[in-house]
Amino acid sequence: MTETLSAFLDQCRAIVGADYVLDLDADKAAFLTDQRGRYTGRALAVLRPATVAEVAALVRVCAQWRVPIVPQGGNTGLVLGSVPDAEGGAVVLSLARMNAVRQVDAVNRTMTVDAGCILQHAQEAAAAQGCLFPLSLAAEGTCTIGGNLATNAGGTAVLRYGNTRDLCLGLEVVTPQGEIWNGLRGLRKDNTGYDLRDLFIGAEGTLGVITGAVLKLYPQPKAAITALAALPSPVHALRLLNLMQDHCGASLTGFELMSQYCLALVAREFPQLPQPFKTPHAQYVLLELSSSESEAHAVGLLERAIGAALDGNVIDDAVVATSMAQSTGLWQLREHIPLAQAKAGKNIKHDISLPVSRIADFIAATGPKLEAAFPGCQLVCFGHLGDGNLHYNVAPPDGVSNDEFLHKQDEVNRVVYDSVEVFGGSISAEHGIGVLKRDELVHHKSAVELNMMRAIKGALDPLGIMNPGKIL
Ligand SMILES: Cc1cc2nc3c(=O)[nH]c(=O)nc-3n(C[C@H](O)[C@H](O)[C@H](O)COP(=O)(O)OP(=O)(O)OC[C@H]3O[C@@H](n4cnc5c(N)ncnc54)[C@H](O)[C@@H]3O)c2cc1C
Protein backbone atom coordinates (compact mmCIF):
# COMPACT_ATOMS: atom_id res chain seq x y z
CA MET A 1 0.00 0.00 0.00
CA THR A 2 1.40 3.40 -0.93
CA GLU A 3 1.95 6.01 1.78
CA THR A 4 -0.61 8.26 0.11
CA LEU A 5 -3.30 5.60 0.14
CA SER A 6 -2.46 4.69 3.70
CA ALA A 7 -2.74 8.34 4.79
CA PHE A 8 -6.08 8.70 2.97
CA LEU A 9 -7.52 5.56 4.58
CA ASP A 10 -6.25 6.65 8.02
CA GLN A 11 -8.17 9.91 7.66
CA CYS A 12 -11.30 7.96 6.72
CA ARG A 13 -10.85 5.62 9.69
CA ALA A 14 -10.53 8.60 12.00
CA ILE A 15 -13.98 9.73 10.85
CA VAL A 16 -16.03 6.49 10.83
CA GLY A 17 -13.89 4.04 12.81
CA ALA A 18 -11.68 1.27 11.44
CA ASP A 19 -14.56 -1.24 11.23
CA TYR A 20 -16.34 0.89 8.66
CA VAL A 21 -13.50 1.39 6.20
CA LEU A 22 -13.39 -1.85 4.23
CA ASP A 23 -10.19 -2.24 2.25
CA LEU A 24 -9.76 -6.02 2.12
CA ASP A 25 -10.85 -7.65 -1.14
CA ALA A 26 -13.14 -10.13 0.62
CA ASP A 27 -14.93 -7.33 2.51
CA LYS A 28 -15.27 -5.07 -0.53
CA ALA A 29 -16.48 -7.78 -2.92
CA ALA A 30 -20.20 -7.52 -2.15
CA PHE A 31 -20.19 -3.81 -3.06
CA LEU A 32 -18.34 -4.06 -6.35
CA THR A 33 -20.54 -6.28 -8.52
CA ASP A 34 -23.74 -5.03 -10.08
CA GLN A 35 -27.17 -6.48 -9.36
CA ARG A 36 -27.28 -8.69 -12.46
CA GLY A 37 -23.74 -9.94 -12.00
CA ARG A 38 -22.65 -8.51 -15.34
CA TYR A 39 -19.83 -6.31 -14.13
CA THR A 40 -17.35 -6.13 -11.26
CA GLY A 41 -15.40 -2.95 -10.61
CA ARG A 42 -12.53 -2.14 -8.26
CA ALA A 43 -12.27 0.35 -5.39
CA LEU A 44 -9.71 1.62 -2.90
CA ALA A 45 -12.19 0.99 -0.11
CA VAL A 46 -15.84 0.86 0.86
CA LEU A 47 -16.75 3.62 3.35
CA ARG A 48 -19.74 3.06 5.64
CA PRO A 49 -20.70 6.25 7.51
CA ALA A 50 -23.47 6.33 10.13
CA THR A 51 -24.32 10.05 10.22
CA VAL A 52 -24.65 13.03 7.91
CA ALA A 53 -21.67 14.66 9.62
CA GLU A 54 -19.57 11.57 8.85
CA VAL A 55 -20.65 11.64 5.19
CA ALA A 56 -19.68 15.31 4.96
CA ALA A 57 -16.29 14.71 6.60
CA LEU A 58 -15.57 11.75 4.29
CA VAL A 59 -16.48 13.78 1.22
CA ARG A 60 -14.14 16.57 2.34
CA VAL A 61 -11.30 14.05 2.69
CA CYS A 62 -12.09 12.59 -0.75
CA ALA A 63 -12.10 16.10 -2.24
CA GLN A 64 -8.77 16.82 -0.57
CA TRP A 65 -7.19 13.68 -2.12
CA ARG A 66 -9.25 13.96 -5.37
CA VAL A 67 -10.65 10.47 -4.77
CA PRO A 68 -13.83 9.76 -6.81
CA ILE A 69 -16.92 8.75 -4.80
CA VAL A 70 -19.51 6.20 -5.91
CA PRO A 71 -22.60 6.52 -3.67
CA GLN A 72 -24.36 3.22 -3.11
CA GLY A 73 -27.70 2.31 -1.53
CA GLY A 74 -29.11 -1.18 -2.05
CA ASN A 75 -27.08 -1.76 -5.24
CA THR A 76 -30.21 -2.88 -7.10
CA GLY A 77 -29.74 -0.34 -9.91
CA LEU A 78 -29.84 -1.79 -13.40
CA VAL A 79 -27.51 0.54 -15.35
CA LEU A 80 -24.17 0.08 -13.49
CA GLY A 81 -24.50 3.44 -11.70
CA SER A 82 -23.75 2.14 -8.21
CA VAL A 83 -20.52 0.24 -8.88
CA PRO A 84 -17.06 1.73 -9.48
CA ASP A 85 -15.08 1.43 -12.69
CA ALA A 86 -12.16 -0.93 -13.23
CA GLU A 87 -9.47 1.69 -12.51
CA GLY A 88 -9.65 1.02 -8.78
CA GLY A 89 -9.08 4.65 -7.78
CA ALA A 90 -12.57 5.38 -6.36
CA VAL A 91 -14.29 4.66 -3.07
CA VAL A 92 -17.78 3.23 -2.69
CA LEU A 93 -19.75 5.31 -0.19
CA SER A 94 -22.40 2.96 1.21
CA LEU A 95 -25.38 4.67 2.87
CA ALA A 96 -26.66 1.36 4.27
CA ARG A 97 -25.94 2.22 7.93
CA MET A 98 -27.99 5.41 7.67
CA ASN A 99 -31.30 3.58 7.68
CA ALA A 100 -33.53 5.34 10.22
CA VAL A 101 -37.03 6.68 9.80
CA ARG A 102 -36.43 10.03 11.49
CA GLN A 103 -40.03 11.19 11.83
CA VAL A 104 -43.56 10.50 10.59
CA ASP A 105 -45.83 13.56 10.59
CA ALA A 106 -49.26 12.06 9.99
CA VAL A 107 -50.95 15.49 10.05
CA ASN A 108 -48.64 17.00 7.44
CA ARG A 109 -48.73 13.62 5.69
CA THR A 110 -44.96 13.47 5.43
CA MET A 111 -42.15 11.30 6.69
CA THR A 112 -38.47 12.18 7.06
CA VAL A 113 -36.06 9.33 6.46
CA ASP A 114 -32.35 8.64 6.15
CA ALA A 115 -31.19 7.99 2.60
CA GLY A 116 -30.16 4.43 3.46
CA CYS A 117 -33.64 3.51 4.70
CA ILE A 118 -34.88 0.41 2.81
CA LEU A 119 -37.98 1.26 0.79
CA GLN A 120 -40.04 -1.50 2.41
CA HIS A 121 -39.17 -0.19 5.88
CA ALA A 122 -40.35 3.28 4.85
CA GLN A 123 -43.63 1.77 3.58
CA GLU A 124 -44.06 -0.11 6.88
CA ALA A 125 -43.34 2.97 9.01
CA ALA A 126 -45.97 4.92 7.07
CA ALA A 127 -48.50 2.08 7.40
CA ALA A 128 -47.92 1.94 11.16
CA GLN A 129 -49.25 5.53 11.31
CA GLY A 130 -52.24 4.69 9.09
CA CYS A 131 -50.64 6.28 6.01
CA LEU A 132 -49.49 5.09 2.60
CA PHE A 133 -46.07 5.68 1.07
CA PRO A 134 -47.01 4.55 -2.41
CA LEU A 135 -43.65 3.93 -4.09
CA SER A 136 -43.57 0.20 -4.84
CA LEU A 137 -41.20 -1.90 -6.92
CA ALA A 138 -40.04 -5.49 -6.97
CA ALA A 139 -36.68 -4.55 -5.39
CA GLU A 140 -38.37 -2.81 -2.42
CA GLY A 141 -36.94 -5.25 0.17
CA THR A 142 -33.40 -4.15 -0.77
CA CYS A 143 -33.38 -0.77 -2.53
CA THR A 144 -33.06 2.42 -0.49
CA ILE A 145 -34.81 5.77 -0.52
CA GLY A 146 -31.52 7.46 -1.50
CA GLY A 147 -31.18 5.14 -4.50
CA ASN A 148 -34.87 5.61 -5.37
CA LEU A 149 -34.37 9.38 -5.37
CA ALA A 150 -31.04 9.28 -7.19
CA THR A 151 -32.64 7.20 -9.99
CA ASN A 152 -36.09 8.83 -9.74
CA ALA A 153 -37.51 5.30 -9.55
CA GLY A 154 -40.94 4.54 -11.00
CA GLY A 155 -42.59 1.25 -10.09
CA THR A 156 -46.17 0.03 -10.13
CA ALA A 157 -48.10 3.02 -8.75
CA VAL A 158 -46.82 5.85 -10.96
CA LEU A 159 -50.16 6.14 -12.74
CA ARG A 160 -51.82 7.37 -9.55
CA TYR A 161 -48.99 8.79 -7.42
CA GLY A 162 -46.15 9.68 -9.82
CA ASN A 163 -42.43 8.83 -9.79
CA THR A 164 -40.19 9.21 -6.74
CA ARG A 165 -39.62 12.85 -7.74
CA ASP A 166 -43.34 13.48 -7.25
CA LEU A 167 -43.20 11.88 -3.81
CA CYS A 168 -40.39 14.04 -2.42
CA LEU A 169 -40.84 17.43 -0.76
CA GLY A 170 -37.38 18.05 0.61
CA LEU A 171 -33.81 16.75 0.62
CA GLU A 172 -30.71 16.80 2.73
CA VAL A 173 -27.56 16.60 0.59
CA VAL A 174 -23.83 16.57 1.15
CA THR A 175 -22.29 18.62 -1.65
CA PRO A 176 -19.12 17.55 -3.50
CA GLN A 177 -17.27 20.08 -1.30
CA GLY A 178 -18.44 18.27 1.83
CA GLU A 179 -20.97 20.90 2.93
CA ILE A 180 -24.38 19.90 4.27
CA TRP A 181 -27.42 21.40 2.55
CA ASN A 182 -30.44 21.01 4.80
CA GLY A 183 -33.41 21.28 2.47
CA LEU A 184 -35.65 19.00 4.55
CA ARG A 185 -38.75 21.12 4.03
CA GLY A 186 -42.16 19.54 4.30
CA LEU A 187 -43.77 22.15 2.08
CA ARG A 188 -46.09 21.49 -0.81
CA LYS A 189 -45.68 25.04 -2.02
CA ASP A 190 -42.28 26.71 -2.00
CA ASN A 191 -41.52 29.03 -4.90
CA THR A 192 -38.28 30.54 -3.67
CA GLY A 193 -35.97 30.35 -6.65
CA TYR A 194 -34.20 27.47 -8.39
CA ASP A 195 -35.47 24.07 -7.33
CA LEU A 196 -32.25 22.51 -6.08
CA ARG A 197 -34.09 19.42 -4.87
CA ASP A 198 -35.03 18.50 -8.41
CA LEU A 199 -31.40 18.76 -9.52
CA PHE A 200 -30.31 15.98 -7.16
CA ILE A 201 -33.29 13.73 -7.90
CA GLY A 202 -32.45 11.55 -10.90
CA ALA A 203 -28.79 12.73 -10.87
CA GLU A 204 -27.58 9.18 -10.06
CA GLY A 205 -25.11 10.43 -7.47
CA THR A 206 -23.22 12.67 -9.91
CA LEU A 207 -23.99 15.97 -8.13
CA GLY A 208 -23.85 15.12 -4.42
CA VAL A 209 -24.77 12.55 -1.79
CA ILE A 210 -28.40 12.46 -0.69
CA THR A 211 -28.45 11.78 3.05
CA GLY A 212 -32.09 12.38 3.97
CA ALA A 213 -35.49 13.16 2.48
CA VAL A 214 -38.97 14.37 3.33
CA LEU A 215 -41.47 12.13 1.54
CA LYS A 216 -45.16 12.60 0.84
CA LEU A 217 -47.69 10.29 2.44
CA TYR A 218 -51.25 9.53 1.37
CA PRO A 219 -54.33 8.11 3.04
CA GLN A 220 -54.38 4.32 3.04
CA PRO A 221 -56.95 3.12 0.50
CA LYS A 222 -59.79 1.19 2.13
CA ALA A 223 -59.76 -1.42 -0.62
CA ALA A 224 -57.84 -2.47 -3.70
CA ILE A 225 -59.18 -4.77 -6.38
CA THR A 226 -57.34 -6.47 -9.22
CA ALA A 227 -58.49 -7.80 -12.58
CA LEU A 228 -56.92 -9.27 -15.68
CA ALA A 229 -58.39 -8.37 -19.05
CA ALA A 230 -57.68 -10.20 -22.32
CA LEU A 231 -57.55 -8.16 -25.52
CA PRO A 232 -56.73 -8.54 -29.20
CA SER A 233 -54.06 -5.82 -29.56
CA PRO A 234 -52.15 -2.91 -27.97
CA VAL A 235 -54.59 -0.52 -29.70
CA HIS A 236 -57.37 -2.12 -27.64
CA ALA A 237 -55.21 -1.75 -24.51
CA LEU A 238 -55.02 2.01 -25.10
CA ARG A 239 -58.78 2.17 -25.58
CA LEU A 240 -59.21 0.26 -22.34
CA LEU A 241 -56.88 2.70 -20.54
CA ASN A 242 -58.96 5.69 -21.62
CA LEU A 243 -62.20 3.89 -20.80
CA MET A 244 -60.96 2.96 -17.33
CA GLN A 245 -59.74 6.50 -16.68
CA ASP A 246 -63.10 7.93 -17.78
CA HIS A 247 -65.01 5.51 -15.53
CA CYS A 248 -62.70 5.33 -12.53
CA GLY A 249 -60.59 8.53 -12.51
CA ALA A 250 -57.89 8.54 -9.84
CA SER A 251 -59.11 5.18 -8.51
CA LEU A 252 -57.19 3.47 -11.32
CA THR A 253 -53.83 2.78 -9.67
CA GLY A 254 -52.30 0.11 -11.91
CA PHE A 255 -52.43 -0.65 -15.63
CA GLU A 256 -49.84 -3.18 -16.80
CA LEU A 257 -49.61 -4.55 -20.34
CA MET A 258 -48.33 -8.09 -20.97
CA SER A 259 -48.15 -9.87 -24.31
CA GLN A 260 -49.17 -13.50 -24.82
CA TYR A 261 -45.49 -14.36 -25.31
CA CYS A 262 -44.77 -13.03 -21.78
CA LEU A 263 -47.50 -15.12 -20.15
CA ALA A 264 -46.50 -18.21 -22.15
CA LEU A 265 -42.93 -17.72 -20.89
CA VAL A 266 -44.19 -17.50 -17.30
CA ALA A 267 -46.34 -20.63 -17.81
CA ARG A 268 -43.35 -22.53 -19.20
CA GLU A 269 -40.86 -21.49 -16.49
CA PHE A 270 -43.30 -21.42 -13.54
CA PRO A 271 -45.96 -24.06 -14.31
CA GLN A 272 -47.18 -23.94 -10.69
CA LEU A 273 -48.66 -20.43 -11.21
CA PRO A 274 -52.35 -20.62 -12.21
CA GLN A 275 -53.12 -19.20 -15.68
CA PRO A 276 -56.52 -17.45 -15.61
CA PHE A 277 -57.60 -17.98 -19.23
CA LYS A 278 -58.11 -21.36 -20.92
CA THR A 279 -57.38 -20.06 -24.41
CA PRO A 280 -54.61 -17.62 -25.34
CA HIS A 281 -55.23 -13.98 -26.24
CA ALA A 282 -52.79 -11.63 -27.98
CA GLN A 283 -52.47 -9.16 -25.08
CA TYR A 284 -53.43 -8.86 -21.42
CA VAL A 285 -53.85 -5.91 -19.08
CA LEU A 286 -53.51 -6.23 -15.33
CA LEU A 287 -55.71 -3.59 -13.71
CA GLU A 288 -55.74 -2.34 -10.16
CA LEU A 289 -58.34 -0.06 -8.65
CA SER A 290 -58.16 1.49 -5.19
CA SER A 291 -61.01 3.01 -3.28
CA SER A 292 -60.96 5.38 -0.33
CA GLU A 293 -64.57 4.32 0.44
CA SER A 294 -65.01 0.55 0.53
CA GLU A 295 -64.44 -2.73 -1.26
CA ALA A 296 -68.03 -2.64 -2.53
CA HIS A 297 -67.32 0.77 -4.08
CA ALA A 298 -64.17 -0.55 -5.83
CA VAL A 299 -65.96 -3.68 -7.07
CA GLY A 300 -68.88 -1.60 -8.36
CA LEU A 301 -66.56 0.77 -10.25
CA LEU A 302 -64.58 -2.07 -11.75
CA GLU A 303 -67.61 -4.14 -12.76
CA ARG A 304 -69.25 -1.17 -14.49
CA ALA A 305 -66.03 -0.32 -16.36
CA ILE A 306 -65.39 -3.92 -17.41
CA GLY A 307 -69.03 -4.27 -18.51
CA ALA A 308 -68.61 -1.19 -20.73
CA ALA A 309 -65.34 -2.56 -22.13
CA LEU A 310 -66.98 -5.90 -23.00
CA ASP A 311 -70.04 -4.18 -24.53
CA GLY A 312 -67.80 -1.94 -26.64
CA ASN A 313 -65.65 -4.88 -27.82
CA VAL A 314 -62.61 -3.26 -26.23
CA ILE A 315 -61.76 -6.50 -24.40
CA ASP A 316 -62.45 -10.16 -25.15
CA ASP A 317 -62.66 -11.43 -21.60
CA ALA A 318 -61.78 -10.54 -18.00
CA VAL A 319 -61.30 -12.15 -14.62
CA VAL A 320 -61.78 -10.18 -11.42
CA ALA A 321 -59.94 -11.32 -8.30
CA THR A 322 -62.46 -12.05 -5.56
CA SER A 323 -59.93 -12.69 -2.82
CA MET A 324 -56.52 -11.43 -1.74
CA ALA A 325 -55.03 -14.77 -2.83
CA GLN A 326 -56.44 -14.38 -6.33
CA SER A 327 -55.22 -10.80 -6.51
CA THR A 328 -51.73 -11.89 -5.45
CA GLY A 329 -51.89 -14.64 -8.07
CA LEU A 330 -52.62 -12.13 -10.83
CA TRP A 331 -49.81 -9.80 -9.71
CA GLN A 332 -47.47 -12.79 -9.54
CA LEU A 333 -47.98 -13.38 -13.26
CA ARG A 334 -46.71 -9.85 -13.92
CA GLU A 335 -43.88 -10.02 -11.41
CA HIS A 336 -42.68 -13.38 -12.71
CA ILE A 337 -42.07 -12.11 -16.25
CA PRO A 338 -38.54 -10.80 -15.45
CA LEU A 339 -37.85 -13.96 -13.43
CA ALA A 340 -39.04 -16.17 -16.30
CA GLN A 341 -36.86 -14.23 -18.71
CA ALA A 342 -33.85 -14.72 -16.44
CA LYS A 343 -34.53 -18.48 -16.29
CA ALA A 344 -34.99 -18.72 -20.04
CA GLY A 345 -31.62 -17.07 -20.75
CA LYS A 346 -30.14 -13.69 -21.54
CA ASN A 347 -31.89 -11.09 -23.64
CA ILE A 348 -31.31 -7.53 -24.73
CA LYS A 349 -33.30 -5.24 -22.45
CA HIS A 350 -34.80 -1.84 -23.14
CA ASP A 351 -36.58 0.27 -20.53
CA ILE A 352 -38.23 2.86 -22.73
CA SER A 353 -41.06 5.34 -22.53
CA LEU A 354 -43.32 6.80 -25.19
CA PRO A 355 -46.24 9.16 -25.31
CA VAL A 356 -49.10 6.84 -24.29
CA SER A 357 -50.97 7.61 -27.51
CA ARG A 358 -48.04 6.34 -29.63
CA ILE A 359 -47.30 3.07 -27.89
CA ALA A 360 -49.40 0.87 -30.16
CA ASP A 361 -47.83 2.46 -33.25
CA PHE A 362 -44.36 1.94 -31.79
CA ILE A 363 -45.06 -1.74 -31.13
CA ALA A 364 -46.56 -2.20 -34.61
CA ALA A 365 -43.61 -0.50 -36.33
CA THR A 366 -40.66 -1.83 -34.32
CA GLY A 367 -41.45 -5.58 -34.24
CA PRO A 368 -41.29 -5.98 -38.04
CA LYS A 369 -38.02 -4.00 -38.18
CA LEU A 370 -36.44 -6.33 -35.64
CA GLU A 371 -37.84 -9.39 -37.41
CA ALA A 372 -36.36 -8.19 -40.71
CA ALA A 373 -32.93 -7.60 -39.15
CA PHE A 374 -32.87 -10.61 -36.77
CA PRO A 375 -35.30 -13.22 -38.15
CA GLY A 376 -37.01 -15.28 -35.46
CA CYS A 377 -36.06 -12.99 -32.55
CA GLN A 378 -38.58 -13.04 -29.69
CA LEU A 379 -40.09 -9.91 -28.16
CA VAL A 380 -40.75 -9.90 -24.44
CA CYS A 381 -42.88 -6.76 -24.31
CA PHE A 382 -44.58 -5.73 -21.09
CA GLY A 383 -44.73 -2.74 -18.81
CA HIS A 384 -46.49 0.08 -17.07
CA LEU A 385 -48.70 1.06 -20.02
CA GLY A 386 -50.53 3.72 -18.05
CA ASP A 387 -47.20 5.56 -17.65
CA GLY A 388 -46.13 5.03 -21.27
CA ASN A 389 -43.35 2.73 -20.00
CA LEU A 390 -42.47 -0.46 -21.86
CA HIS A 391 -39.93 -3.11 -20.99
CA TYR A 392 -39.15 -4.01 -24.58
CA ASN A 393 -36.75 -6.94 -24.40
CA VAL A 394 -35.42 -8.89 -27.34
CA ALA A 395 -34.57 -12.58 -26.89
CA PRO A 396 -32.61 -14.75 -29.34
CA PRO A 397 -34.32 -16.77 -32.08
CA ASP A 398 -34.66 -20.52 -31.39
CA GLY A 399 -31.35 -22.22 -32.06
CA VAL A 400 -29.23 -19.07 -31.54
CA SER A 401 -27.19 -19.06 -28.34
CA ASN A 402 -27.52 -16.22 -25.84
CA ASP A 403 -23.89 -15.21 -26.22
CA GLU A 404 -24.07 -15.20 -30.01
CA PHE A 405 -27.15 -12.97 -29.85
CA LEU A 406 -25.68 -10.63 -27.23
CA HIS A 407 -22.91 -9.82 -29.70
CA LYS A 408 -25.60 -8.13 -31.75
CA GLN A 409 -26.64 -5.90 -28.84
CA ASP A 410 -25.48 -2.66 -30.46
CA GLU A 411 -27.36 -3.45 -33.69
CA VAL A 412 -30.51 -4.44 -31.78
CA ASN A 413 -30.29 -1.27 -29.68
CA ARG A 414 -29.91 0.82 -32.82
CA VAL A 415 -33.20 -0.50 -34.26
CA VAL A 416 -35.08 -0.06 -30.97
CA TYR A 417 -33.67 3.33 -29.97
CA ASP A 418 -34.03 4.79 -33.47
CA SER A 419 -37.68 3.77 -33.36
CA VAL A 420 -38.05 5.30 -29.87
CA GLU A 421 -36.72 8.55 -31.32
CA VAL A 422 -39.13 8.44 -34.26
CA PHE A 423 -42.09 8.06 -31.88
CA GLY A 424 -40.96 10.83 -29.52
CA GLY A 425 -39.92 8.56 -26.65
CA SER A 426 -37.11 8.22 -24.11
CA ILE A 427 -34.32 5.61 -24.00
CA SER A 428 -34.65 5.36 -20.21
CA ALA A 429 -38.05 5.42 -18.57
CA GLU A 430 -37.12 4.51 -15.02
CA HIS A 431 -33.71 2.85 -14.64
CA GLY A 432 -31.55 5.88 -15.45
CA ILE A 433 -28.47 6.24 -17.63
CA GLY A 434 -25.53 5.08 -15.47
CA VAL A 435 -22.79 3.63 -17.63
CA LEU A 436 -24.92 1.35 -19.76
CA LYS A 437 -26.79 4.08 -21.63
CA ARG A 438 -24.22 6.86 -21.36
CA ASP A 439 -22.95 6.60 -24.93
CA GLU A 440 -26.48 6.27 -26.27
CA LEU A 441 -27.61 9.44 -24.47
CA VAL A 442 -25.68 11.71 -26.81
CA HIS A 443 -27.78 10.46 -29.76
CA HIS A 444 -30.99 11.56 -28.05
CA LYS A 445 -30.20 14.93 -26.42
CA SER A 446 -29.47 18.12 -28.30
CA ALA A 447 -26.15 19.93 -27.88
CA VAL A 448 -28.06 22.64 -26.01
CA GLU A 449 -29.44 20.14 -23.49
CA LEU A 450 -26.14 18.28 -23.04
CA ASN A 451 -24.26 21.55 -22.55
CA MET A 452 -26.68 22.66 -19.83
CA MET A 453 -26.24 19.29 -18.10
CA ARG A 454 -22.43 19.59 -18.32
CA ALA A 455 -22.59 23.17 -17.00
CA ILE A 456 -24.60 22.03 -13.97
CA LYS A 457 -22.16 19.19 -13.32
CA GLY A 458 -19.16 21.52 -13.68
CA ALA A 459 -20.67 24.16 -11.41
CA LEU A 460 -21.65 21.82 -8.57
CA ASP A 461 -18.77 19.36 -8.84
CA PRO A 462 -15.80 21.22 -10.35
CA LEU A 463 -13.32 18.54 -9.23
CA GLY A 464 -15.44 15.86 -10.94
CA ILE A 465 -15.29 13.49 -7.95
CA MET A 466 -19.00 12.59 -7.72
CA ASN A 467 -19.65 9.28 -9.50
CA PRO A 468 -17.54 10.17 -12.55
CA GLY A 469 -18.31 8.39 -15.82
CA LYS A 470 -21.99 8.02 -14.99
CA ILE A 471 -24.65 9.78 -17.12
CA LEU A 472 -22.17 12.14 -18.87
C1 LIG B 1 -36.05 -6.91 -9.28
C2 LIG B 1 -35.88 -5.45 -9.59
C3 LIG B 1 -37.01 -4.70 -9.92
C4 LIG B 1 -36.87 -3.34 -10.20
N1 LIG B 1 -37.99 -2.64 -10.52
C5 LIG B 1 -37.87 -1.33 -10.76
C6 LIG B 1 -39.04 -0.57 -11.08
O1 LIG B 1 -40.15 -1.08 -11.18
N2 LIG B 1 -38.88 0.75 -11.27
C7 LIG B 1 -37.64 1.36 -11.19
O2 LIG B 1 -37.57 2.57 -11.39
N3 LIG B 1 -36.53 0.66 -10.90
C8 LIG B 1 -36.61 -0.66 -10.69
N4 LIG B 1 -35.50 -1.37 -10.39
C9 LIG B 1 -34.18 -0.70 -10.36
C10 LIG B 1 -33.72 -0.29 -8.93
O3 LIG B 1 -34.31 -1.04 -7.95
C11 LIG B 1 -34.02 1.16 -8.69
O4 LIG B 1 -33.23 1.92 -9.58
C12 LIG B 1 -33.73 1.65 -7.25
O5 LIG B 1 -34.27 2.95 -7.14
C13 LIG B 1 -32.26 1.69 -6.89
O6 LIG B 1 -32.14 1.88 -5.48
P1 LIG B 1 -30.82 1.39 -4.73
O7 LIG B 1 -30.88 1.85 -3.33
O8 LIG B 1 -30.60 -0.05 -4.94
O9 LIG B 1 -29.70 2.24 -5.49
P2 LIG B 1 -28.28 1.77 -6.01
O10 LIG B 1 -28.43 0.69 -7.00
O11 LIG B 1 -27.37 1.53 -4.88
O12 LIG B 1 -27.82 3.10 -6.77
C14 LIG B 1 -28.48 3.54 -7.93
C15 LIG B 1 -27.88 4.91 -8.35
O13 LIG B 1 -28.18 5.86 -7.35
C16 LIG B 1 -26.99 6.40 -6.80
N5 LIG B 1 -27.22 6.53 -5.36
C17 LIG B 1 -27.61 5.57 -4.49
N6 LIG B 1 -27.79 6.10 -3.27
C18 LIG B 1 -27.50 7.42 -3.37
C19 LIG B 1 -27.48 8.50 -2.44
N7 LIG B 1 -27.82 8.33 -1.17
N8 LIG B 1 -27.12 9.72 -2.89
C20 LIG B 1 -26.79 9.93 -4.19
N9 LIG B 1 -26.77 8.93 -5.09
C21 LIG B 1 -27.13 7.70 -4.69
C22 LIG B 1 -25.89 5.41 -7.15
O14 LIG B 1 -24.63 6.02 -7.24
C23 LIG B 1 -26.37 4.90 -8.49
O15 LIG B 1 -26.01 5.79 -9.52
C24 LIG B 1 -35.59 -2.74 -10.14
C25 LIG B 1 -34.46 -3.50 -9.80
C26 LIG B 1 -34.61 -4.85 -9.53
C27 LIG B 1 -33.38 -5.62 -9.16
Side-chain angles (χ1 to χ4, degrees):
M1 187 186 296
T2 65
E3 277 180 30
T4 314
L5 175 57
S6 171
F8 166 72
L9 293 179
D10 281 348
Q11 274 184 273
C12 295
R13 288 188 191 101
I15 295 164
V16 289
D19 286 352
Y20 300 111
V21 176
L22 313 181
D23 62 337
L24 299 178
D25 286 347
D27 295 337
K28 289 187 285 187
F31 299 85
L32 302 182
T33 297
D34 84 297
Q35 140 76 30
R36 288 189 177 135
R38 289 162 299 185
Y39 175 82
T40 300
R42 293 170 57 232
L44 297 176
V46 176
L47 310 179
R48 307 190 63 219
T51 65
V52 184
E54 288 182 4
V55 173
L58 288 172
V59 172
R60 285 196 295 276
V61 170
C62 290
Q64 177 196 337
W65 292 93
R66 306 288 194 269
V67 171
I69 301 166
V70 181
Q72 191 180 93
N75 196 18
T76 66
L78 298 174
V79 290
L80 307 185
S82 53
V83 284
D85 64 19
E87 299 289 312
V91 290
V92 172
L93 184 73
S94 167
L95 279 293
R97 289 178 68 217
M98 293 177 58
N99 55 12
V101 173
R102 297 188 197 173
Q103 188 206 20
V104 179
D105 183 342
V107 176
N108 196 39
R109 292 207 188 276
T110 52
M111 70 194 300
T112 307
V113 300
D114 281 352
C117 181
I118 303 269
L119 170 56
Q120 192 178 331
H121 297 167
Q123 294 166 344
E124 287 165 358
Q129 301 288 326
C131 297
L132 172 75
F133 179 57
L135 182 65
S136 177
L137 42 128
E140 64 198 19
T142 313
C143 66
T144 62
I145 296 298
N148 301 148
L149 287 159
T151 59
N152 185 26
T156 53
V158 174
L159 184 61
R160 166 72 179 86
Y161 299 102
N163 295 294
T164 310
R165 185 187 299 283
D166 305 299
L167 299 172
C168 177
L169 293 178
L171 283 185
E172 178 186 74
V173 172
V174 171
T175 70
Q177 292 71 37
E179 298 160 319
I180 299 170
W181 170 50
N182 184 339
L184 290 174
R185 302 180 188 113
L187 304 174
R188 287 170 177 78
K189 290 188 169 180
D190 180 19
N191 283 341
T192 50
Y194 301 140
D195 196 333
L196 299 176
R197 175 197 56 192
D198 271 346
L199 276 183
F200 294 100
I201 298 175
E204 300 181 44
T206 61
L207 299 180
V209 184
I210 298 170
T211 50
V214 181
L215 305 171
K216 276 191 211 169
L217 302 179
Y218 289 83
Q220 283 274 11
K222 296 265 188 322
I225 183 157
T226 311
L228 187 70
L231 330 88
S233 74
V235 173
H236 289 79
L238 291 181
R239 279 190 210 143
L240 180 64
L241 175 63
N242 286 159
L243 184 149
M244 294 299 301
Q245 286 173 324
D246 287 344
H247 276 75
C248 309
S251 294
L252 183 65
T253 44
F255 196 95
E256 302 281 318
L257 180 73
M258 307 178 273
S259 67
Q260 163 57 21
Y261 184 80
C262 295
L263 282 207
L265 194 64
V266 171
R268 191 179 83 202
E269 301 296 338
F270 296 98
Q272 73 277 18
L273 292 181
Q275 294 283 330
F277 297 108
K278 290 206 169 57
T279 52
H281 298 262
Q283 301 287 336
Y284 304 89
V285 168
L286 182 66
L287 298 157
E288 188 168 271
L289 244 71
S290 302
S291 168
S292 53
E293 291 181 30
S294 64
E295 186 167 333
H297 178 246
V299 171
L301 268 180
L302 185 63
E303 285 180 351
R304 277 194 297 281
I306 285 188
L310 284 167
D311 290 347
N313 294 322
V314 177
I315 62 175
D316 295 332
D317 204 352
V319 291
V320 177
T322 52
S323 66
M324 187 51 90
Q326 280 183 9
S327 171
T328 305
L330 293 180
W331 271 106
Q332 275 188 338
L333 293 174
R334 163 66 178 84
E335 282 158 7
H336 277 69
I337 298 172
L339 305 176
Q341 280 186 104
K343 278 183 90 173
K346 293 182 179 146
N347 52 59
I348 300 173
K349 297 189 189 312
H350 306 97
D351 157 47
I352 55 175
S353 74
L354 296 141
V356 171
S357 53
R358 308 201 74 186
I359 285 184
D361 295 339
F362 169 87
I363 293 174
T366 313
K369 283 188 188 144
L370 286 166
E371 175 59 31
F374 314 99
C377 68
Q378 312 279 0
L379 295 179
V380 188
C381 177
F382 63 102
H384 317 295
L385 189 76
D387 318 327
N389 181 188
L390 285 184
H391 298 302
Y392 193 81
N393 302 335
V394 189
D398 286 342
V400 174
S401 76
N402 290 319
D403 289 340
E404 198 181 326
F405 192 60
L406 284 185
H407 278 121
K408 298 185 191 294
Q409 175 148 350
D410 288 347
E411 297 153 63
V412 171
N413 287 351
R414 201 62 288 123
V415 174
V416 174
Y417 291 143
D418 283 354
S419 195
V420 165
E421 191 70 33
V422 167
F423 288 94
S426 164
I427 60 164
S428 182
E430 47 176 23
H431 298 159
I433 297 296
V435 174
L436 276 190
K437 294 186 180 175
R438 183 189 57 200
D439 296 339
E440 188 62 34
L441 188 70
V442 294
H443 299 297
H444 302 271
K445 298 256 184 213
S446 68
V448 175
E449 201 168 355
L450 284 169
N451 284 339
M452 284 195 282
M453 288 170 70
R454 290 187 187 116
I456 291 167
K457 170 75 176 168
L460 292 189
D461 180 22
L463 298 178
I465 59 167
M466 285 308 311
N467 218 358
K470 314 293 164 62
I471 301 184
L472 293 169

